[in-house]
Amino acid sequence: MRTLRHLGGFLIGVVVTAAVLAGGGWAVTQAAAQAAAQATAPPPDNQKLWIALGAMAAVGLVYGLVVAGRISPLATFVPSMALLAWTVVYALDPGRALSLVPAEPSVNQIVREAGAGAQTLLTTGVLALLGVALFIPVLMPSRWSRPHDDLDDDYESSPEGGYY
Protein backbone atom coordinates (compact mmCIF):
# COMPACT_ATOMS: atom_id res chain seq x y z
CA MET A 1 0.00 0.00 0.00
CA ARG A 2 2.87 2.35 0.81
CA THR A 3 4.42 1.75 -2.62
CA LEU A 4 1.22 2.79 -4.37
CA ARG A 5 1.05 5.91 -2.23
CA HIS A 6 4.57 6.91 -3.24
CA LEU A 7 3.99 5.98 -6.90
CA GLY A 8 0.91 8.19 -6.89
CA GLY A 9 2.94 10.93 -5.21
CA PHE A 10 5.60 10.66 -7.91
CA LEU A 11 3.00 10.98 -10.66
CA ILE A 12 1.38 13.95 -8.92
CA GLY A 13 4.84 15.50 -8.66
CA VAL A 14 5.34 15.21 -12.41
CA VAL A 15 1.96 16.88 -12.97
CA VAL A 16 2.82 19.70 -10.54
CA THR A 17 6.14 20.25 -12.30
CA ALA A 18 4.36 20.53 -15.65
CA ALA A 19 1.71 22.82 -14.18
CA VAL A 20 4.27 25.21 -12.71
CA LEU A 21 6.56 25.29 -15.74
CA ALA A 22 4.03 25.12 -18.57
CA GLY A 23 0.90 26.60 -17.04
CA GLY A 24 2.65 29.19 -14.95
CA GLY A 25 5.02 30.08 -17.76
CA TRP A 26 2.22 30.53 -20.27
CA ALA A 27 0.20 32.62 -17.83
CA VAL A 28 3.16 34.90 -17.09
CA THR A 29 3.76 35.47 -20.79
CA GLN A 30 0.10 36.27 -21.44
CA ALA A 31 -0.20 38.60 -18.45
CA ALA A 32 3.00 40.44 -19.37
CA ALA A 33 1.84 40.87 -22.97
CA GLN A 34 -1.51 42.23 -21.82
CA ALA A 35 0.16 44.60 -19.36
CA ALA A 36 2.43 45.90 -22.13
CA ALA A 37 -0.55 46.33 -24.47
CA GLN A 38 -2.51 48.22 -21.82
CA ALA A 39 0.43 50.53 -21.17
CA THR A 40 0.41 51.79 -24.76
CA ALA A 41 -3.33 51.87 -25.44
CA PRO A 42 -6.08 50.26 -23.36
CA PRO A 43 -7.58 47.38 -25.33
CA PRO A 44 -11.35 47.10 -25.47
CA ASP A 45 -11.29 43.45 -24.31
CA ASN A 46 -9.43 42.08 -21.28
CA GLN A 47 -10.43 38.46 -21.91
CA LYS A 48 -6.83 37.26 -22.39
CA LEU A 49 -5.77 38.90 -19.15
CA TRP A 50 -8.59 37.19 -17.24
CA ILE A 51 -7.67 33.85 -18.79
CA ALA A 52 -4.02 34.36 -17.79
CA LEU A 53 -5.02 35.30 -14.23
CA GLY A 54 -7.31 32.26 -14.08
CA ALA A 55 -4.45 30.03 -15.21
CA MET A 56 -2.23 31.53 -12.50
CA ALA A 57 -4.95 30.87 -9.93
CA ALA A 58 -5.30 27.26 -11.11
CA VAL A 59 -1.53 26.70 -10.84
CA GLY A 60 -1.60 28.27 -7.38
CA LEU A 61 -4.46 25.99 -6.35
CA VAL A 62 -2.63 22.86 -7.49
CA TYR A 63 0.55 24.11 -5.80
CA GLY A 64 -1.26 24.84 -2.53
CA LEU A 65 -3.10 21.51 -2.47
CA VAL A 66 0.14 19.60 -2.93
CA VAL A 67 2.01 21.58 -0.28
CA ALA A 68 -0.79 21.44 2.30
CA GLY A 69 -2.24 18.02 1.46
CA ARG A 70 -1.40 14.80 3.23
CA ILE A 71 -0.06 12.83 0.30
CA SER A 72 3.28 11.26 -0.42
CA PRO A 73 6.22 13.64 0.04
CA LEU A 74 7.33 12.67 -3.47
CA ALA A 75 4.53 14.91 -4.75
CA THR A 76 6.51 17.91 -3.53
CA PHE A 77 10.01 16.43 -3.80
CA VAL A 78 9.90 15.82 -7.57
CA PRO A 79 8.93 19.36 -8.59
CA SER A 80 11.19 20.93 -5.97
CA MET A 81 14.20 19.07 -7.33
CA ALA A 82 13.33 19.96 -10.93
CA LEU A 83 12.90 23.65 -10.14
CA LEU A 84 15.95 23.87 -7.88
CA ALA A 85 18.13 21.89 -10.30
CA TRP A 86 17.25 24.22 -13.16
CA THR A 87 17.98 27.20 -10.91
CA VAL A 88 21.39 25.79 -9.96
CA VAL A 89 22.22 25.18 -13.62
CA TYR A 90 21.20 28.78 -14.33
CA ALA A 91 23.43 30.05 -11.52
CA LEU A 92 26.42 28.05 -12.78
CA ASP A 93 25.93 28.40 -16.55
CA PRO A 94 23.13 30.75 -17.64
CA GLY A 95 23.60 29.97 -21.33
CA ARG A 96 23.11 26.26 -20.83
CA ALA A 97 20.06 26.75 -18.62
CA LEU A 98 18.41 29.12 -21.08
CA SER A 99 19.16 26.75 -23.97
CA LEU A 100 16.72 24.27 -22.40
CA VAL A 101 13.82 26.61 -23.21
CA PRO A 102 12.07 25.65 -26.47
CA ALA A 103 12.36 28.63 -28.82
CA GLU A 104 12.62 27.12 -32.32
CA PRO A 105 10.00 28.19 -34.86
CA SER A 106 9.05 24.54 -35.41
CA VAL A 107 7.72 24.33 -31.85
CA ASN A 108 4.05 25.09 -31.25
CA GLN A 109 3.34 28.75 -30.38
CA ILE A 110 1.78 27.86 -27.01
CA VAL A 111 4.84 25.80 -26.02
CA ARG A 112 7.12 28.70 -27.02
CA GLU A 113 5.03 31.10 -24.92
CA ALA A 114 5.14 28.71 -21.96
CA GLY A 115 8.91 28.39 -22.38
CA ALA A 116 9.38 32.15 -22.52
CA GLY A 117 7.34 32.52 -19.34
CA ALA A 118 9.28 29.74 -17.60
CA GLN A 119 12.46 31.54 -18.63
CA THR A 120 11.12 34.72 -17.03
CA LEU A 121 10.29 32.80 -13.85
CA LEU A 122 13.79 31.29 -13.87
CA THR A 123 15.71 34.51 -14.42
CA THR A 124 13.72 36.42 -11.80
CA GLY A 125 14.26 33.75 -9.12
CA VAL A 126 10.62 32.75 -8.80
CA LEU A 127 11.41 29.11 -9.63
CA ALA A 128 13.99 29.03 -6.82
CA LEU A 129 11.42 30.42 -4.40
CA LEU A 130 8.79 27.87 -5.47
CA GLY A 131 11.34 25.05 -5.34
CA VAL A 132 12.35 25.84 -1.76
CA ALA A 133 8.71 26.16 -0.71
CA LEU A 134 7.99 22.75 -2.26
CA PHE A 135 10.96 21.20 -0.49
CA ILE A 136 9.87 22.19 3.03
CA PRO A 137 7.09 19.54 3.30
CA VAL A 138 9.65 16.85 2.42
CA LEU A 139 11.44 17.62 5.69
CA MET A 140 8.34 16.89 7.79
CA PRO A 141 8.57 13.36 9.23
CA SER A 142 4.79 13.06 9.41
CA ARG A 143 4.60 13.22 5.60
CA TRP A 144 6.63 10.02 5.30
CA SER A 145 4.53 7.93 7.70
CA ARG A 146 1.27 6.41 6.68
CA PRO A 147 -1.95 8.10 7.76
CA HIS A 148 -3.50 6.97 11.05
CA ASP A 149 -6.37 4.51 10.64
CA ASP A 150 -9.07 3.66 13.10
CA LEU A 151 -8.12 -0.04 13.01
CA ASP A 152 -5.06 0.70 15.15
CA ASP A 153 -7.33 1.81 18.00
CA ASP A 154 -8.69 -1.73 18.56
CA TYR A 155 -5.62 -2.73 20.53
CA GLU A 156 -5.02 -0.98 23.83
CA SER A 157 -1.72 -1.35 25.60
CA SER A 158 -2.98 0.05 28.90
CA PRO A 159 -5.00 -2.01 31.42
CA GLU A 160 -8.78 -1.69 31.42
CA GLY A 161 -8.89 -0.18 34.88
CA GLY A 162 -6.55 2.70 33.94
CA TYR A 163 -5.41 5.28 36.47
CA TYR A 164 -7.25 8.57 36.76
Side-chain angles (χ1 to χ4, degrees):
M1 190 64 150
R2 183 174 303 207
T3 305
L4 289 178
R5 177 175 168 250
H6 292 309
L7 177 64
F10 177 79
L11 294 175
I12 291 170
V14 171
V15 169
V16 169
T17 305
V20 168
L21 292 176
W26 179 83
V28 164
T29 302
Q30 293 299 312
Q34 290 302 308
Q38 285 182 356
T40 57
D45 184 21
N46 286 342
Q47 183 179 6
K48 286 188 177 182
L49 178 62
W50 284 107
I51 292 171
L53 292 175
M56 285 183 200
V59 170
L61 178 66
V62 169
Y63 184 89
L65 288 174
V66 169
V67 168
R70 179 130 169 95
I71 54 177
S72 170
L74 289 178
T76 59
F77 183 71
V78 170
S80 72
M81 287 297 107
L83 300 178
L84 291 174
W86 198 16
T87 302
V88 167
V89 170
Y90 178 71
L92 297 176
D93 188 2
R96 181 180 299 261
L98 296 177
S99 72
L100 298 174
V101 176
E104 295 83 25
S106 63
V107 177
N108 189 335
Q109 177 66 27
I110 295 174
V111 175
R112 279 184 292 177
E113 290 172 357
Q119 181 176 343
T120 301
L121 294 174
L122 174 68
T123 56
T124 57
V126 173
L127 290 185
L129 181 135
L130 294 175
V132 169
L134 281 168
F135 188 73
I136 298 299
V138 175
L139 301 175
M140 305 297 171
S142 61
R143 295 288 291 257
W144 290 95
S145 64
R146 87 185 151 104
H148 177 74
D149 15 333
D150 295 332
L151 298 176
D152 293 338
D153 293 338
D154 291 342
Y155 177 74
E156 290 185 17
S157 60
S158 62
E160 287 291 324
Y163 299 104
Y164 293 102

